Structures are given as C-alpha cells and as structure tokens.
Amino acid sequence: MVGIGIYCRKHTTDVNGFVLGGRSVGPWLTAFAYGTSYFSAVVFVGYAGQFGWKYGVAATWAGIGNAILGSLVAWVVLGRRTRIMTQHFNSATMPQFFGQRFQSKSLKIGASIIVFVFLIPYTASLFNGLSRLFGMAFHIDYTVCIILMGILTGIYVIAGGYMATAINDFVQGCVMLVGIIAVIAAVLHSQGGFTAALHSMAAVSDPEALNGTVPGIYASFFGPDPINLLGVVVLTSLGTWGLPQMVQKFYAIKSEEAIHKGTIISTLFALLISGGCYFLGGFGRLFSDKLDIAADGYDAIIPAMLSGLPDILIAVVVVLVLSASMSTLSSLVIASSSTLTIDLLRGNIIKKMDDREAVFIMRCFIVVFVVISMIIAIVQYKHSISFIAQLMGVSWGALAGAFLAPFLYGLYWKKTTKVACWVSFLFGTILMCLNLVSNSTGAFAFPTLLQSPINCGAFAMVAGLIIVPVVSLFTAKPDTQMVDEAFACYDKKTPVSQKNALSD
C-alpha cells in the first residue's frame, strides 16, 4: 500500500490530481473505490451483528438494498449527471458544487462546516468494533492496531492522493471478496450447512420478538420487525446518495462508458460484500451460548461466530476487516481535508492559494484528521464513553439528511433554490443533533419510531426530498441563464473540454 502511494505521487502535482486523480479513473477502480468506501468494519462487525441479531436471516434485505438502491440506482441516477455537471462547474468537492450551482459562497462555507463537523466522528467510527476482533485473534493492545492502521493509511493517502486510494481500494476490495465468501462457507459448515443452519434459526425464539407468539420468526422472509428493518435499508442504502466521500467517486471517473461498466461492477461488489455480511450476521443467534449481549454488546456477535474457525480463516478475517476499514478511512480523510482546504480556507481565510500550497495544506489536514480519529477511537476504547458511540451513529444520518435532497434536485431540477438548500441543511443536522441529545440525556422524548438514530436519519433524508421542492416553490429562483447553461451540458456528447475540466 505504501509502495502504491509512492508510485502515485506523479498524479498529485495539483488539486485536481490529488483530489480526483485527474478525472481519469477507470470503471474497475472507481467501482471498487465506491464499494470499499461504502462498507467498512462498522458493517462487518457492528451492523451485521446488530441487525442480524434483531432481524434474523431477514437482515439480508439490508445487503440487497445496499446493492440495488445504494449502488445500482445510485450509479444510474447520479453517475452521469454528477460527472458532467461537476466538470461544467469545475468543482472537486460537494460544498464547491453547492456554491457554484446556487451561486452562493455562504452555502459552500455552510456545507463545508457540516462536512468537517460530522465526518470526524464518522472517521473514528471505522475503528469501532475492531477491538473485539483483535482481542479474539491477538494478545496485543488494540491501541497498537489503531495507531498502525492510521499511520499506514495516512502515508499512502498523503503520498498518492485519490489515485493511490483508488488502486489500494481495488486491492483491498479483492481481499474483502475472497474473505467474505470463505468466512460464510466456514460458518455455515460449522452449523451443518445452510439448510441445517436455517432449521436451527427457525427453532430460535425470543419473548421480546412479537411476544414470542410467532414460531420461526428469525428464519422468516421479513423477520420480527419489518418496519424498523425498512428504516435500516433506507438509511444504509439511500444515505450514500448524500455522502460527500461517496458522490466524489463520480467526479473522478473518466468517461460515460466507464460509468456504465462501473454500475455493473459496483452492484455485484455490493451484493457480495454487503449481502454476505448481513446474511452471515443473520445466523448470530445460533452462537448465543458463546456471548452475553447485555454485557458485551452487539459488537461481540461476529467475533463469537468466528472464534471457532481455523487460524488461517481468522487471519483472512483480520485482513478483510482491516482492508475494509482502511479503504473507508482513506476516502473520508481525503473528503475532509479537501473540503476544509478548498471550500473553507481557499479564498476566505487564505485569499491567495495556488495549487501547490493547497495540496500541501490538504496533506497536513490528512495528518490532523487521522490523528484526531485515532484519539477519539482510543478514548472510546479505553473508557467506553457511550456518548462518542452515539455521536458516530448520528453522523451518517446528519450528512445524508442535509445533503441528499439538495444535491439530487440540484442535478435534476432547474428551479431548486439556495434557500431550500439551507432549510435542508438545517433540518437534517438539527434533527440528528436533537436525537443525539434526547438519547444521551433524556431531556425530552422523541417519538418512539424516531428514537433510533437509524430511523431518524432515514426520516431526515425522506423529509428533505419533500422540503426542498416545497421551499423552492416559494423562494427566489436562481439565475436562469446560469442554470440553463449548466443543464445544457447534459445534452452534449462531450460536456466539457479536458482543458476546462483541469483549469482552476
């Protein structure tokens, strides 16, 4: 990975090269970069165990939703338009897109602050859950793992920028594919095969699930709680549409043909990785004799399932989870550093900043962000501070709730207004912050359905899709000529010349 970072230094001479790889990244690298940024240790260790325990085999729907809604439909709806319009506006980040699409410097600054505030705890969450896995496999302090992972990721991202991240994501994605297939096969084999495992799940009962009145509920098609399962599917699938580090992959892909190929590759990757993770987690209750959920939490489920595997397979799992976490970490720190440098500092705090200075500052911020995320992860691990864990869970919902609707309508609807974007920004972030305060202090009560950060985040995204068009109808419209020129680029075979795309 470090070698790839050094090799890719030639792509990092300017901002466009460091942040977007010169907008010349092919379909395989882009699709794997999208998938590996999507699925981290949080999915494999945390979500797969938690939702598999709650919903049984039906948790697999979350993985299918990730593949169809979070990958296939996202690529079809966002891929081409995002690439073309961001080239038209020459924007390298999501806040920069908002600023130029709606001709608002304040909107760009506001979006960059939201990205900075909520991506930091999200970055730290990548380490969450790894401690259980490493405690099972090794006799070393988990802090050592956090530091090593942070240093290695920082080195190759700082050296090679986005291109190094994309190439390493491809390598790490291959490891993840091999690992998840091997682990599922081994775990099911330990339970006598798929059919036997499914029969065992049908025999599982829980008094809290529908009062224990429905037999075989954990082996059923929709599980014991289909409404909350739907919330999980919406947040983890639709949420990617508004996450800066995910959408940024469409900025960098080299051509429309590459988008078509990338759509297929990304969907299949998500189906195998996410579908495999949630499918595996769905059998977690068969290992209830090896863990105590009340004492150890949901993060202990997957390690308990893997504890009886041969050493070679545990080694594969460790590399799988590290690969998943490092690939996501690299995408997040690039998104955070580029946003803070390009959108907040450049032209505002530092009036004159050339490309070399910008790249240097971004590299410095990468170091800062990696260090901050490591510190937060170590503090949480050492002291079990639940507030930090809750803050991490809120981050995804706040980012997607704030950005999804303004970004989507900004690509497709000419009449989307600046005020509507602000309302969506404020609604999504304030709602999720109130959810955090409510769950942490009990100062006031949220409606039962929205008490979960998962459901609250899904609600924020869906509400934004209603808020933006309604507010846009009653607020000042953007400049007609600017909007018409931006949307006209969709009809051109070559939307923007390479010269314009690389110009500052």
Side-chain angles (χ1 to χ4, degrees):
M1 289 188 291
V2 173
I4 289 172
I6 295 171
Y7 170 77
C8 291
R9 279 184 63 86
K10 61 185 178 182
H11 294 280
T12 62
T13 55
D14 59 13
V15 170
N16 187 72
F18 189 83
V19 178
L20 300 176
R23 297 187 189 265
S24 61
V25 185
W28 282 91
L29 293 185
T30 303
F32 272 64
Y34 185 92
T36 54
S37 298
Y38 196 166
F39 310 116
S40 67
V42 176
V43 172
F44 184 77
V45 179
Y47 282 4
Q50 177 181 348
F51 299 136
W53 186 271
K54 288 183 176 180
Y55 308 119
V57 179
T60 309
W61 281 111
I64 296 172
N66 292 171
I68 296 175
L69 186 58
S71 293
L72 175 63
V73 181
W75 276 71
V76 170
V77 173
L78 300 179
R80 177 178 180 269
R81 284 184 173 254
T82 299
R83 175 182 173 272
I84 292 174
M85 191 171 281
T86 55
Q87 285 193 0
H88 174 80
F89 287 123
N90 190 31
S91 53
T93 66
M94 184 176 279
Q96 195 175 23
F97 167 80
F98 285 131
Q100 293 168 340
R101 167 67 176 83
F102 299 101
Q103 296 181 309
S104 171
K105 187 176 182 179
S106 63
L107 200 64
K108 180 177 78 169
I109 294 173
S112 65
I113 292 172
I114 293 172
V115 171
F116 172 70
V117 169
F118 288 100
L119 272 191
I120 292 297
Y122 185 20
T123 303
S125 73
L126 302 177
F127 301 98
N128 196 31
L130 281 173
S131 58
R132 304 276 187 185
L133 192 61
F134 275 76
M136 176 194 73
F138 303 111
H139 299 288
I140 58 172
D141 190 340
Y142 174 60
T143 305
V144 176
C145 166
I146 293 177
I147 294 173
L148 229 102
M149 176 176 156
I151 290 175
L152 284 173
T153 306
I155 289 174
Y156 79 72
V157 176
I158 290 168
Y162 180 80
M163 185 60 78
T165 298
I167 296 174
N168 272 321
D169 285 350
F170 180 79
V171 176
Q172 292 161 340
C174 291
V175 172
M176 292 167 66
L177 286 172
V178 173
I180 194 66
I181 292 171
V183 169
I184 290 174
V187 169
L188 291 180
H189 178 73
S190 71
Q191 296 297 313
F194 171 67
T195 303
L198 201 60
H199 286 162
S200 299
M201 283 298 298
V204 172
S205 62
D206 186 341
E208 295 181 3
L210 300 177
N211 297 320
T213 58
V214 181
I217 191 66
Y218 290 105
S220 64
F221 200 66
F222 290 118
D225 192 354
I227 299 298
N228 279 316
L229 178 58
L230 179 62
V232 173
V233 173
V234 171
L235 180 69
T236 60
S237 302
L238 193 61
T240 60
W241 295 37
L243 296 179
Q245 76 277 10
M246 302 297 295
V247 174
Q248 195 174 31
K249 303 299 185 289
F250 301 131
Y251 298 15
I253 197 164
K254 66 180 182 180
S255 66
E256 291 187 34
E257 183 183 357
I259 291 175
H260 298 320
K261 293 180 181 177
T263 302
I264 298 171
I265 298 167
S266 177
T267 303
L268 293 175
F269 183 89
L271 193 61
L272 286 170
I273 297 297
S274 185
C277 286
Y278 288 111
F279 175 75
L280 177 67
F283 293 94
R285 285 180 178 266
L286 299 183
F287 299 82
S288 57
D289 58 320
K290 296 183 178 181
L291 52 92
D292 181 356
I293 292 295
D296 301 328
Y298 293 115
D299 287 349
I301 295 173
I302 297 297
M305 296 176 71
L306 304 176
S307 60
L309 298 182
D311 286 351
I312 185 64
L313 278 179
I314 291 179
V316 169
V317 171
V318 169
V319 178
L320 181 161
V321 175
L322 278 178
S323 295
S325 297
M326 292 176 76
S327 57
T328 308
L329 177 62
S330 62
S331 294
L332 292 174
V333 294
I334 281 188
S336 300
S337 63
S338 60
T339 292
L340 200 57
T341 303
I342 298 171
D343 303 319
L344 201 58
L345 297 184
R346 194 176 200 175
N348 298 313
I349 297 174
I350 303 176
K351 297 297 182 182
K352 293 184 179 180
M353 182 191 299
D354 61 30
D355 269 18
R356 287 186 177 276
E357 291 172 329
V359 170
F360 175 76
I361 292 172
M362 278 189 278
R363 284 175 164 145
C364 293
F365 276 131
I366 287 171
V367 175
V368 172
F369 291 148
V370 169
V371 170
I372 291 175
S373 66
M374 290 192 300
I375 291 173
I376 294 174
I378 291 171
V379 168
Q380 183 189 4
Y381 170 65
K382 294 289 188 182
H383 302 285
S384 300
I385 301 177
S386 60
F387 174 80
I388 295 176
Q390 292 170 352
L391 185 61
M392 293 169 184
V394 165
S395 299
W396 182 299
L399 288 165
F403 293 147
L404 187 152
F407 186 74
L408 182 63
Y409 284 111
L411 292 176
Y412 277 90
W413 193 36
K414 293 182 179 181
K415 295 181 180 180
T416 310
T417 67
K418 176 179 71 174
V419 176
C421 292
W422 269 119
V423 174
S424 180
F425 287 3
L426 294 173
F427 180 83
T429 53
I430 292 174
L431 179 69
M432 295 309 298
C433 288
L434 289 176
N435 178 270
L436 174 66
V437 172
S438 174
N439 290 333
S440 301
T441 65
F444 55 91
F446 257 54
T448 303
L449 187 63
L450 299 183
Q451 288 176 2
S452 162
I454 298 288
N455 289 346
C456 193
F459 173 77
M461 288 184 287
V462 174
L465 294 173
I466 300 172
I467 289 171
V468 169
V470 170
V471 175
S472 294
L473 292 176
F474 299 99
T475 50
K477 303 299 182 286
D479 179 72
T480 303
Q481 183 179 352
M482 182 277 296
V483 174
D484 287 343
E485 289 177 356
F487 277 73
C489 68
Y490 293 140
D491 300 325
K492 301 175 184 177
K493 291 184 179 179
T494 306
V496 181
S497 68
Q498 187 68 11
K499 179 180 178 180
N500 182 49
L502 296 177
S503 65
D504 183 15

